[in-house]
Amino acid sequence: MTTTAVRTTAAAPSAPAVRIRSLRRRYGAVVALDGVDLDFGAGTFTAVMGPSGSGKSTLLQCAAGLERPGSGTVTVDGVGLGGLSERRLTLLRRERIGFVFQSFNLLPSLTAAQNVALPLRLAGRRPSRAAAREALERVGLAERARHRPSQLSGGQQQRVALARALITSPAVLFADEPTGALDTTTSRQVLSLLRELVDGEGQTTVMVTHDPVAASYADRVVFLVDGRVGGELTAPSAERVAAHLTELEGAPC
Ligand code: ADP
């Protein structure tokens, strides 16, 4: 005779991929972050916007463990970054956090496949050719594996950078102005790809952008003002984002 266990437990709400609490960071007398509380839900796409100097890059750098905050906490995938030694922080960054920049930061002497495999090499793993190829396939560039960055367009280089950021299957991908150096058409291709990675693979993504159209690809837009969260929009349209930004930029300091 068999007994059947009946599961009655309701699924627990999934913990955010990134949790930020009371985050503060100053540079001398300049307060870059002034008490930021934010959650980035697993499998969601968030855009971070705000006037120049509002703290967007500092937020991303602190959330990605590239900079230490003055105070407050950042938790990525359940691990508090504050308690980690430099070594453990570096390891966590390599394994659990992806980062793409406006300037693609590819190594010019390496092929696309070698650039993509770099994080695995840095982590002491011997990357298989298949792993790099698979990562390039995810960004639609498998046939360019042997090309060097100079043989690729800007949009293709950013897609290689994306494949490199994603090869370790990070808990979160941070993108700082990823389309800032791209023309309109190529930007849209990269943004569509980011959206597909969120929808198809549940890739948690946080992107800083100045562009309301880019922000409209996200599920949510968080606005920073003077180092604080100054509002947010869900299911953003480019028009609503632009209107909100105009309001913020026109507001007296
Ligand atoms: P944003 O990305 O929104 O333009 P930042 O995070 O780059 O804003 O900067 C927030 C504030 O912190 C600005 O006043 C900026 O000048 C200052 N800041 C940022 N990084 C540094 C740094 N390394 N040294 C000194 N000041 C900095």
Side-chain angles (χ1 to χ4, degrees), residues 25-33 48-61 67 176-177 208 210 224 226-227:
R25 175 73 160 105
R26 53 194 312 158
Y27 298 98
V30 176
V31 179
L33 295 176
V48 178
M49 302 191 88
S52 181
S54 58
K56 303 180 295 294
S57 289
T58 307
L59 174 68
L60 226 58
Q61 300 267 328
E67 269 201 46
D176 197 351
E177 295 275 2
V208 163
H210 279 108
L224 287 190
D226 295 333

Side-chain angles (χ1 to χ4, degrees), residues 37-240:
D37 293 301
L38 277 174
D39 282 345
F40 299 123
T44 65
F45 187 0
T46 308
V48 178
M49 302 191 88
S52 181
S54 58
K56 303 180 295 294
S57 289
T58 307
L59 174 68
L60 226 58
Q61 300 267 328
C62 289
L66 292 164
E67 269 201 46
R68 298 266 191 190
S71 62
T73 58
V74 175
T75 309
V76 175
D77 206 18
V79 179
L81 304 191
L84 300 178
S85 64
E86 282 306 319
R87 193 179 145 272
R88 294 201 75 85
L89 184 59
T90 302
L91 290 177
L92 179 118
R93 243 185 359 241
R94 275 186 198 149
E95 295 279 332
R96 308 302 299 136
I97 296 174
F99 212 108
V100 289
F101 304 85
Q102 177 172 333
S103 51
F104 324 117
N105 292 1
L106 299 175
L107 294 182
S109 58
L110 300 185
T111 65
Q114 287 166 337
N115 267 288
V116 167
L118 215 51
L120 298 182
R121 286 196 184 283
L122 287 172
R125 294 193 235 156
R126 197 143 168 261
S128 67
R129 202 171 287 175
R133 196 183 163 77
E134 200 178 294
L136 282 168
E137 251 162 32
R138 288 165 78 190
V139 300
L141 278 183
E143 80 288 2
R144 303 291 159 118
R146 289 159 183 265
H147 287 58
R148 290 186 206 283
S150 61
Q151 300 170 302
L152 299 170
S153 69
Q156 288 171 337
Q157 289 184 57
Q158 191 59 299
R159 279 149 69 193
V160 172
L162 203 49
R164 179 180 58 183
L166 296 176
I167 198 165
T168 59
S169 302
V172 55
L173 170 72
F174 291 107
D176 197 351
E177 295 275 2
T179 57
L182 303 177
D183 62 45
T184 309
T185 311
T186 313
S187 291
R188 304 295 175 259
Q189 288 167 358
V190 168
L191 290 161
S192 298
L193 178 59
L194 287 174
R195 185 69 248 177
E196 278 166 36
L197 291 164
V198 177
D199 291 337
E201 303 183 18
Q203 177 62 58
T204 310
T205 302
V206 182
M207 168 181 74
V208 163
T209 182
H210 279 108
D211 176 6
V213 175
S216 73
Y217 283 75
D219 303 305
R220 174 172 74 131
V221 183
V222 173
F223 295 92
L224 287 190
V225 186
D226 295 333
R228 294 185 195 167
V229 176
E232 48 176 270
L233 286 176
T234 46
S237 68
E239 292 73 23
R240 283 171 67 217

